[in-house]
Amino acid sequence: MSTPNQGRLHVSFRPSDRARQALDGLPGPVTCAAEPSGQDRSELLSDVRGAAALVCLLTDRVDAELLDAAGPSLRVVANMAVGHDNIDVAACTARGITVTNTPGVLDEATADLAFALLLATSRRVVEADAFVRSGGEPWSWRPDLFVGLDVSSGATLGIVGLGRIGLAMARRARAFDMRIVATPSRSAGEEAARLGIETLPLPDLLVTSDVVSLHCPLTPDTRHLIGAKELRLMGPGSVLVNTARGPIVDEAALATALADGTIGAAGLDVFENEPAVHPDLLALPNVVLLPHIGSAGRATRDRMAMLAIDNARAVLAGEPAPTPVHP
């Protein structure tokens, strides 16, 4: 039998009504930030003092400073995200603090957005919308007006990172009759074979693909995985989609490649120095820029918050966390 929760749980953002109800059902004290967008650094450092659990956002930097501020009572950091590059996992582990994330619950929503970016960039949707809204140039149907990539006419999608979200992206591409290639993955298994996904090393994938979609985690090995050299391999007319992590792409190199026609277009939901965006990207018509909304479905965000809360509850109750970063 598990023991009752001991210690305070702090949430670094204002939870939704559903998440608030789950928090109200916990036996221990709970404190929450006032804003849904989270707390500034000084507020978080103050409010985490003495907490036994922290439910946080990917924008919260959990480092030695924050761990020191929390003190020895802190037992679990529950990140409301799949990625956890905002957390010094090694420092937490050294202090006996469990780190958790929220995998699985946002796969479909993120893949939906990635495919939306694929279509928006390939068919130049945002450019065409701005053209109509501008009202500055008379127009009528003509053969050369905003011509783009025919996605469902034999186009090839290259997936970099064939995990859960990458496979969800592949399922959508299969429905559009795209050829699908991917970088090697030990976890893709039978579904990759069922979907007919071909495996290629990254340079060959870049040369082969009409659209390259990034779904790999941010690690030291994947930082700037896509730079000037890789963009040149993609070639004119190709499209880059990134819904993973911003620093996987060298943003300055991407801006140059988009401006000089090295590649045709890009769709970005994440940025290298988020929330800042490279100013050269802001000036370009052939890039679609979104404010990190890959998981921004109502039901998905609720599931993320509920899983993060359940991770924190479990650790405080002396139970195994449902989704620890390191099992």
mmCIF file of all heavy atoms in Angstrom, residues 124-148:
data_model
loop_
_atom_site.group_PDB
_atom_site.id
_atom_site.type_symbol
_atom_site.label_atom_id
_atom_site.label_comp_id
_atom_site.label_asym_id
_atom_site.label_seq_id
_atom_site.Cartn_x
_atom_site.Cartn_y
_atom_site.Cartn_z
ATOM 1 N N ARG A 124 2.478 26.562 -50.585
ATOM 2 C CA ARG A 124 2.661 28.011 -50.447
ATOM 3 C C ARG A 124 1.399 28.711 -49.933
ATOM 4 O O ARG A 124 1.021 29.801 -50.371
ATOM 5 C CB ARG A 124 3.122 28.598 -51.781
ATOM 6 C CG ARG A 124 4.393 27.954 -52.291
ATOM 7 C CD ARG A 124 4.812 28.429 -53.657
ATOM 8 N NE ARG A 124 5.194 29.834 -53.646
ATOM 9 C CZ ARG A 124 5.581 30.504 -54.742
ATOM 10 N NH1 ARG A 124 5.642 29.885 -55.913
ATOM 11 N NH2 ARG A 124 5.915 31.768 -54.656
ATOM 12 N N VAL A 125 0.748 28.085 -48.970
ATOM 13 C CA VAL A 125 -0.538 28.554 -48.467
ATOM 14 C C VAL A 125 -0.431 29.935 -47.832
ATOM 15 O O VAL A 125 -1.251 30.827 -48.080
ATOM 16 C CB VAL A 125 -1.117 27.533 -47.465
ATOM 17 C CG1 VAL A 125 -2.337 28.105 -46.747
ATOM 18 C CG2 VAL A 125 -1.479 26.231 -48.181
ATOM 19 N N VAL A 126 0.584 30.130 -46.975
ATOM 20 C CA VAL A 126 0.695 31.400 -46.251
ATOM 21 C C VAL A 126 1.063 32.536 -47.203
ATOM 22 O O VAL A 126 0.538 33.654 -47.097
ATOM 23 C CB VAL A 126 1.719 31.269 -45.109
ATOM 24 C CG1 VAL A 126 1.931 32.604 -44.414
ATOM 25 C CG2 VAL A 126 1.241 30.228 -44.097
ATOM 26 N N GLU A 127 1.954 32.267 -48.137
ATOM 27 C CA GLU A 127 2.287 33.279 -49.157
ATOM 28 C C GLU A 127 1.042 33.691 -49.938
ATOM 29 O O GLU A 127 0.811 34.887 -50.182
ATOM 30 C CB GLU A 127 3.306 32.719 -50.144
ATOM 31 C CG GLU A 127 4.706 32.525 -49.631
ATOM 32 C CD GLU A 127 5.584 31.952 -50.729
ATOM 33 O OE1 GLU A 127 6.025 32.735 -51.600
ATOM 34 O OE2 GLU A 127 5.824 30.724 -50.724
ATOM 35 N N ALA A 128 0.250 32.713 -50.359
ATOM 36 C CA ALA A 128 -0.939 33.001 -51.159
ATOM 37 C C ALA A 128 -1.975 33.774 -50.354
ATOM 38 O O ALA A 128 -2.630 34.693 -50.863
ATOM 39 C CB ALA A 128 -1.531 31.701 -51.684
ATOM 40 N N ASP A 129 -2.125 33.420 -49.068
ATOM 41 C CA ASP A 129 -3.058 34.133 -48.201
ATOM 42 C C ASP A 129 -2.646 35.595 -48.063
ATOM 43 O O ASP A 129 -3.487 36.505 -48.167
ATOM 44 C CB ASP A 129 -3.084 33.440 -46.833
ATOM 45 C CG ASP A 129 -3.947 34.166 -45.832
ATOM 46 O OD1 ASP A 129 -5.167 33.924 -45.817
ATOM 47 O OD2 ASP A 129 -3.406 34.992 -45.062
ATOM 48 N N ALA A 130 -1.350 35.836 -47.829
ATOM 49 C CA ALA A 130 -0.870 37.212 -47.700
ATOM 50 C C ALA A 130 -1.071 37.992 -48.993
ATOM 51 O O ALA A 130 -1.396 39.190 -48.972
ATOM 52 C CB ALA A 130 0.608 37.208 -47.316
ATOM 53 N N PHE A 131 -0.888 37.326 -50.121
ATOM 54 C CA PHE A 131 -1.075 37.965 -51.430
ATOM 55 C C PHE A 131 -2.516 38.441 -51.606
ATOM 56 O O PHE A 131 -2.775 39.567 -52.026
ATOM 57 C CB PHE A 131 -0.689 36.967 -52.525
ATOM 58 C CG PHE A 131 -0.968 37.416 -53.920
ATOM 59 C CD1 PHE A 131 -0.125 38.318 -54.556
ATOM 60 C CD2 PHE A 131 -2.061 36.927 -54.620
ATOM 61 C CE1 PHE A 131 -0.369 38.724 -55.853
ATOM 62 C CE2 PHE A 131 -2.322 37.331 -55.910
ATOM 63 C CZ PHE A 131 -1.476 38.238 -56.541
ATOM 64 N N VAL A 132 -3.471 37.581 -51.259
ATOM 65 C CA VAL A 132 -4.874 37.950 -51.395
ATOM 66 C C VAL A 132 -5.230 39.086 -50.437
ATOM 67 O O VAL A 132 -5.917 40.048 -50.793
ATOM 68 C CB VAL A 132 -5.779 36.731 -51.150
ATOM 69 C CG1 VAL A 132 -7.241 37.148 -51.104
ATOM 70 C CG2 VAL A 132 -5.559 35.682 -52.242
ATOM 71 N N ARG A 133 -4.742 38.986 -49.197
ATOM 72 C CA ARG A 133 -5.075 39.999 -48.202
ATOM 73 C C ARG A 133 -4.473 41.366 -48.525
ATOM 74 O O ARG A 133 -5.009 42.405 -48.122
ATOM 75 C CB ARG A 133 -4.594 39.558 -46.818
ATOM 76 C CG ARG A 133 -5.346 38.385 -46.232
ATOM 77 C CD ARG A 133 -4.720 37.934 -44.917
ATOM 78 N NE ARG A 133 -5.323 36.724 -44.411
ATOM 79 C CZ ARG A 133 -6.423 36.682 -43.662
ATOM 80 N NH1 ARG A 133 -7.036 37.820 -43.344
ATOM 81 N NH2 ARG A 133 -6.892 35.527 -43.251
ATOM 82 N N SER A 134 -3.348 41.367 -49.218
ATOM 83 C CA SER A 134 -2.670 42.646 -49.482
ATOM 84 C C SER A 134 -3.488 43.567 -50.365
ATOM 85 O O SER A 134 -3.434 44.794 -50.227
ATOM 86 C CB SER A 134 -1.307 42.389 -50.128
ATOM 87 O OG SER A 134 -1.466 41.902 -51.449
ATOM 88 N N GLY A 135 -4.229 42.998 -51.284
ATOM 89 C CA GLY A 135 -5.053 43.798 -52.173
ATOM 90 C C GLY A 135 -4.274 44.719 -53.085
ATOM 91 O O GLY A 135 -4.847 45.598 -53.751
ATOM 92 N N GLY A 136 -2.971 44.551 -53.142
ATOM 93 C CA GLY A 136 -2.149 45.494 -53.895
ATOM 94 C C GLY A 136 -1.998 45.185 -55.358
ATOM 95 O O GLY A 136 -1.562 46.026 -56.138
ATOM 96 N N GLU A 137 -2.329 43.980 -55.766
ATOM 97 C CA GLU A 137 -2.124 43.596 -57.162
ATOM 98 C C GLU A 137 -3.354 42.870 -57.677
ATOM 99 O O GLU A 137 -3.789 41.877 -57.097
ATOM 100 C CB GLU A 137 -0.899 42.680 -57.269
ATOM 101 C CG GLU A 137 -0.609 42.196 -58.677
ATOM 102 C CD GLU A 137 0.584 41.262 -58.721
ATOM 103 O OE1 GLU A 137 1.361 41.228 -57.744
ATOM 104 O OE2 GLU A 137 0.732 40.546 -59.729
ATOM 105 N N PRO A 138 -3.944 43.349 -58.766
ATOM 106 C CA PRO A 138 -5.079 42.621 -59.347
ATOM 107 C C PRO A 138 -4.624 41.210 -59.746
ATOM 108 O O PRO A 138 -3.509 41.027 -60.220
ATOM 109 C CB PRO A 138 -5.442 43.454 -60.580
ATOM 110 C CG PRO A 138 -4.857 44.796 -60.336
ATOM 111 C CD PRO A 138 -3.617 44.564 -59.528
ATOM 112 N N TRP A 139 -5.507 40.236 -59.553
ATOM 113 C CA TRP A 139 -5.105 38.873 -59.883
ATOM 114 C C TRP A 139 -6.299 38.098 -60.408
ATOM 115 O O TRP A 139 -7.454 38.415 -60.144
ATOM 116 C CB TRP A 139 -4.513 38.159 -58.669
ATOM 117 C CG TRP A 139 -5.475 37.991 -57.519
ATOM 118 C CD1 TRP A 139 -5.734 38.896 -56.530
ATOM 119 C CD2 TRP A 139 -6.334 36.878 -57.283
ATOM 120 N NE1 TRP A 139 -6.681 38.418 -55.684
ATOM 121 C CE2 TRP A 139 -7.068 37.166 -56.120
ATOM 122 C CE3 TRP A 139 -6.547 35.662 -57.929
ATOM 123 C CZ2 TRP A 139 -8.017 36.296 -55.587
ATOM 124 C CZ3 TRP A 139 -7.481 34.789 -57.411
ATOM 125 C CH2 TRP A 139 -8.209 35.102 -56.245
ATOM 126 N N SER A 140 -5.998 37.090 -61.155
ATOM 127 C CA SER A 140 -6.963 36.096 -61.590
ATOM 128 C C SER A 140 -6.202 34.792 -61.745
ATOM 129 O O SER A 140 -4.971 34.763 -61.659
ATOM 130 C CB SER A 140 -7.611 36.496 -62.919
ATOM 131 O OG SER A 140 -6.622 36.610 -63.928
ATOM 132 N N TRP A 141 -6.921 33.693 -61.947
ATOM 133 C CA TRP A 141 -6.249 32.408 -62.095
ATOM 134 C C TRP A 141 -5.265 32.457 -63.254
ATOM 135 O O TRP A 141 -5.566 32.972 -64.332
ATOM 136 C CB TRP A 141 -7.268 31.302 -62.340
ATOM 137 C CG TRP A 141 -6.630 29.944 -62.379
ATOM 138 C CD1 TRP A 141 -6.477 29.107 -61.330
ATOM 139 C CD2 TRP A 141 -6.029 29.303 -63.504
ATOM 140 N NE1 TRP A 141 -5.813 27.963 -61.717
ATOM 141 C CE2 TRP A 141 -5.527 28.057 -63.054
ATOM 142 C CE3 TRP A 141 -5.855 29.643 -64.835
ATOM 143 C CZ2 TRP A 141 -4.878 27.161 -63.893
ATOM 144 C CZ3 TRP A 141 -5.200 28.763 -65.685
ATOM 145 C CH2 TRP A 141 -4.715 27.526 -65.212
ATOM 146 N N ARG A 142 -4.059 31.963 -63.007
ATOM 147 C CA ARG A 142 -3.088 31.841 -64.088
ATOM 148 C C ARG A 142 -2.172 30.657 -63.795
ATOM 149 O O ARG A 142 -1.991 30.285 -62.633
ATOM 150 C CB ARG A 142 -2.292 33.131 -64.279
ATOM 151 C CG ARG A 142 -1.411 33.548 -63.125
ATOM 152 C CD ARG A 142 -0.620 34.816 -63.488
ATOM 153 N NE ARG A 142 0.444 35.068 -62.537
ATOM 154 C CZ ARG A 142 0.420 36.038 -61.632
ATOM 155 N NH1 ARG A 142 -0.644 36.830 -61.553
ATOM 156 N NH2 ARG A 142 1.443 36.209 -60.814
ATOM 157 N N PRO A 143 -1.591 30.075 -64.823
ATOM 158 C CA PRO A 143 -0.857 28.824 -64.640
ATOM 159 C C PRO A 143 0.351 28.912 -63.727
ATOM 160 O O PRO A 143 0.756 27.905 -63.152
ATOM 161 C CB PRO A 143 -0.425 28.453 -66.072
ATOM 162 C CG PRO A 143 -1.403 29.144 -66.956
ATOM 163 C CD PRO A 143 -1.736 30.411 -66.250
ATOM 164 N N ASP A 144 0.928 30.095 -63.558
ATOM 165 C CA ASP A 144 2.168 30.204 -62.782
ATOM 166 C C ASP A 144 1.962 30.805 -61.397
ATOM 167 O O ASP A 144 2.928 31.107 -60.706
ATOM 168 C CB ASP A 144 3.191 31.050 -63.557
ATOM 169 C CG ASP A 144 2.728 32.493 -63.766
ATOM 170 O OD1 ASP A 144 1.506 32.758 -63.625
ATOM 171 O OD2 ASP A 144 3.574 33.356 -64.065
ATOM 172 N N LEU A 145 0.709 30.961 -60.964
ATOM 173 C CA LEU A 145 0.435 31.660 -59.710
ATOM 174 C C LEU A 145 0.633 30.717 -58.517
ATOM 175 O O LEU A 145 -0.100 29.741 -58.347
ATOM 176 C CB LEU A 145 -0.988 32.220 -59.706
ATOM 177 C CG LEU A 145 -1.365 33.108 -58.510
ATOM 178 C CD1 LEU A 145 -0.498 34.361 -58.465
ATOM 179 C CD2 LEU A 145 -2.843 33.484 -58.557
ATOM 180 N N PHE A 146 1.648 30.990 -57.698
ATOM 181 C CA PHE A 146 1.953 30.237 -56.472
ATOM 182 C C PHE A 146 2.001 28.725 -56.721
ATOM 183 O O PHE A 146 1.421 27.930 -55.989
ATOM 184 C CB PHE A 146 0.959 30.581 -55.356
ATOM 185 C CG PHE A 146 1.117 31.978 -54.851
ATOM 186 C CD1 PHE A 146 0.188 32.953 -55.166
ATOM 187 C CD2 PHE A 146 2.222 32.332 -54.092
ATOM 188 C CE1 PHE A 146 0.352 34.253 -54.721
ATOM 189 C CE2 PHE A 146 2.396 33.626 -53.645
ATOM 190 C CZ PHE A 146 1.461 34.600 -53.960
ATOM 191 N N VAL A 147 2.729 28.355 -57.730
ATOM 192 C CA VAL A 147 2.925 26.940 -58.016
ATOM 193 C C VAL A 147 3.879 26.352 -56.977
ATOM 194 O O VAL A 147 4.915 26.943 -56.654
ATOM 195 C CB VAL A 147 3.496 26.742 -59.438
ATOM 196 C CG1 VAL A 147 3.846 25.273 -59.686
ATOM 197 C CG2 VAL A 147 2.490 27.231 -60.474
ATOM 198 N N GLY A 148 3.529 25.191 -56.452
ATOM 199 C CA GLY A 148 4.366 24.551 -55.434
ATOM 200 C C GLY A 148 4.552 23.074 -55.703
ATOM 201 O O GLY A 148 4.401 22.603 -56.836
#
